[in-house]
Structure formats: C-alpha cells, structure tokens
Amino acid sequence: AWRDSKIEFWRSVSGIDMSALLPLAKATACEKPQHRAVPEDGLFAPPTELFSLDLHTVKDSDLKRFRAELKFDIPAGRRLDGFASWFDCEFGEAGWLLSTAPSQPLTHWRQTAFYFQ
C-alpha cells in the first residue's frame, strides 16, 4: 500500500495528470531501501532472526557477508512487495531491550523496507 501510494501519486498531482512519470516512479521506488514505519499488520510471517552480533566481540569480517534461509507462506489474495528489517538491542546486565520492531512503539530508527521492482 505504501509503495503503491508513492507511485499512484503521479496520476493526479493537485489535479494535474503527471502519469508520464509513472515509469520513472516505478523504477526508482524500489531502487534503495526505504527508512519508514512498517505497519505490523503488513507482515506476512512472524519475525525471523537473520543475524546476531555480540558488539563486544564482533570483527569487520563478521559484517561483510551473512546468509540466512527464509521460509514462509504468502496468504491467498495477498502480494509480497518486499522485506522489512529492524533490530533489537539487548543491554546485558541492565536487563533492558531496545526494539525497533513494528510491534513496538515507534522509534526514530523506524524499520527498513526493501521493495522488489
């Protein structure tokens, strides 16, 4: 819905037909990750941890590449537009968790959406 709204906006910009820009809007809407609030009801599957780091021991080489397997079902009548990411940070002995998940109160970090073209 968010992606579509950014593209469809060009059909009528303050009443002016700017649809000639639709191909450009479609090409660039997915060009870069989008820093935005992702609604929790827009997620198809429960969160999956893809990557975990211990900030006390992490090395540059640990950040260069990682692999994770994903498996989920797309509900009938729904469309997969991309993936959303966020982070959780545990503050060890303080017993405190900072979460930027869609299910948590919004922070300035929000989430990151990676849209398909």
Side-chain angles (χ1 to χ4, degrees), residues 61 81 106:
S61 60
D81 289 324
L106 191 62

Side-chain angles (χ1 to χ4, degrees), residues 35 51 84-91 97-102 104 107-112:
H35 179 238
F51 200 41
S85 68
W86 56 86
F87 67 88
D88 292 339
C89 185
E90 295 176 19
F91 289 90
L97 174 71
L98 167 65
S99 178
T100 63
Q104 300 301 310
T107 70
H108 72 277
W109 286 289
R110 299 182 184 151
Q111 294 85 40
T112 302

Side-chain angles (χ1 to χ4, degrees), residues 17-96:
D17 180 2
M18 301 286 285
S19 59
L21 293 174
L22 282 170
L24 178 63
K26 288 177 183 176
T28 59
C30 304
E31 190 173 39
K32 296 179 183 174
Q34 302 289 323
H35 179 238
R36 60 180 295 269
V38 174
E40 185 177 11
D41 64 359
L43 303 176
F44 286 157
T48 300
E49 183 178 288
L50 296 181
F51 200 41
S52 180
L53 299 170
D54 180 336
L55 297 182
H56 290 284
T57 61
V58 69
K59 298 179 202 110
D60 285 346
S61 60
D62 297 330
L63 305 173
K64 298 219 183 275
R65 181 178 293 234
F66 69 91
R67 235 178 219 191
E69 186 173 315
L70 295 174
K71 185 176 180 176
F72 55 89
D73 295 319
I74 299 173
R78 302 282 303 268
R79 179 182 76 206
L80 179 64
D81 289 324
F83 292 93
S85 68
W86 56 86
F87 67 88
D88 292 339
C89 185
E90 295 176 19
F91 289 90
E93 293 176 13
W96 204 93

